[in-house]
Amino acid sequence: MSIAFFDSGLGGLTVLHEAALRLPHEDFLFYADMLHVPYGNKTRQQVLGYVIEAADRIMQENVKALVVACNTGTSVAAAELRRRYPIPVIGMEPAVKPAVEMNGSSGRRVLVMATELTLGQSKYMELVSRVDDQGIVDSLPMPELVQYCEALNFDEDELGAYFRRKLAPFDLKQYGTLVLGCTHYPYYTELLKKILPDHIRIIDGGAGTVRRLEDVLSERGIEGGGSGQVRVMNSARDPRYNLKLLRALERLRTQS
Ligand code: DGL
């Protein structure tokens, strides 16, 4: 049985990639909702419907756990998915808590990049108000970035100019950590490292999600039994998009 990873598009592969490194004795199924990407500029109701439709489809495969490798999808649908299916559902959220903990005594601020929909959800606002008692967290929606990623656009000049434009209103000396709160964004971690001052650390929710997955698998006694195989699917049944998924995964593999 495989572990299913789900996202609107290529983003969730950044999490699957980390999982494949840590869990070599598992097989993976990656499902991208190519028909509806991007989620970040849609309504909560629309995305809820898309995620349920995709997850219902995934449940027809031989899967033992579902990782919603999508911050946006998790924030609107994780609770509903847990009600609906008997297998464990692991979601993700922007890594605001570890970022605030890292910065606590330094006096520096935290900048969270995520989709408009994630940043507008009460789940995110409650997370920030729970962990940010010093008021050091700022949020920045990046509406174009998922589209750049879906086009496999990693052009350093074009993307570099985009990031500089988005970051221009912020005094980066004041910031200690950048949180990548969308699973598409870690494709740009290396570029961001070149752009940002050296003292800013970049974190994402991938590692924490994989640790949680490991715990859940061992709590339930369902770990192992595979050999690191990755199968890809998409909601449009488009073989070209499947090739794109494999190319994007290859890019992550050669980068690390
Ligand atoms: N990769 C997703 C996330 O983590 C969704 C991005 C989108 O489709 O807008 O939020």
Side-chain angles (χ1 to χ4, degrees):
M1 283 183 131
S2 328
I3 302 168
F5 279 67
F6 162 71
D7 186 29
S8 58
L10 307 172
L13 288 171
T14 59
V15 190
L16 185 150
H17 171 62
E18 291 208 35
L21 290 176
R22 281 186 72 107
L23 304 169
H25 302 298
E26 302 292 346
D27 289 332
F28 303 95
L29 168 70
F30 187 78
Y31 186 98
D33 189 7
M34 180 211 163
L35 285 176
H36 302 117
V37 66
Y39 282 175
N41 59 5
K42 310 269 178 12
T43 67
R44 182 187 166 87
Q45 252 345 86
Q46 282 174 314
V47 173
L48 181 63
Y50 301 150
V51 175
I52 290 172
E53 193 184 330
D56 280 352
R57 175 68 194 83
I58 292 167
M59 292 301 148
Q60 294 168 26
E61 303 296 315
N62 198 19
V63 297
K64 60 183 177 181
L66 172 63
V67 178
V68 185
C70 174
N71 294 264
T72 315
T74 299
S75 67
V76 304
E80 178 56 27
L81 297 181
R82 291 194 180 106
R83 274 193 290 273
R84 229 173 144 84
Y85 310 116
I87 63 169
V89 174
I90 293 101
M92 51 193 310
E93 62 183 11
V96 181
K97 187 165 184 273
V100 169
E101 282 164 5
M102 274 177 191
N103 274 21
S105 53
S106 73
R108 286 203 155 121
R109 302 185 66 78
V110 171
L111 184 61
V112 182
M113 289 180 173
T115 69
E116 308 94 293
L117 192 57
T118 297
L119 297 175
Q121 295 303 303
S122 52
K123 192 168 186 291
Y124 176 74
M125 293 172 203
E126 281 159 23
L127 169 68
V128 173
S129 59
R130 203 167 54 242
V131 302
D132 180 23
D133 47 9
Q134 297 174 62
I136 59 168
V137 174
D138 296 313
S139 306
L140 176 61
M142 301 288 283
E144 303 82 6
L145 194 50
V146 168
Q147 314 273 31
Y148 279 126
C149 182
E150 287 295 315
L152 296 182
N153 186 344
F154 303 114
D155 184 89
E156 294 214 348
D157 292 338
E158 191 176 348
L159 271 295
Y162 168 72
F163 281 120
R164 285 194 186 88
R165 211 161 50 240
K166 298 296 287 189
L167 290 167
F170 298 90
D171 175 10
L172 295 178
K173 287 193 295 300
Q174 289 186 36
Y175 289 83
T177 309
L178 172 66
V179 177
L180 303 182
C182 167
T183 55
H184 281 76
Y185 300 174
Y187 286 96
Y188 300 100
T189 300
E190 292 308 311
L191 175 58
L192 279 162
K193 278 186 193 157
K194 291 184 193 165
I195 291 171
L196 294 170
D198 288 343
H199 70 269
I200 299 188
R201 283 162 302 188
I202 304 173
I203 61 168
D204 63 64
T209 304
V210 174
R211 277 197 299 276
R212 177 80 197 118
L213 170 64
E214 278 185 281
D215 289 348
V216 169
L217 294 175
S218 85
E219 277 159 23
R220 303 236 181 167
I222 53 172
E223 69 271 56
S227 58
Q229 288 185 44
V230 179
R231 185 157 74 93
V232 295
M233 295 174 68
N234 68 80
S235 54
R237 298 171 188 265
D238 180 343
R240 283 163 311 176
Y241 195 81
N242 284 342
L243 282 177
K244 195 187 236 192
L245 290 168
L246 294 172
R247 275 175 63 197
L249 184 59
E250 198 46 42
R251 182 183 172 88
L252 295 167
R253 284 183 171 151
T254 49
Q255 266 179 357
S256 60

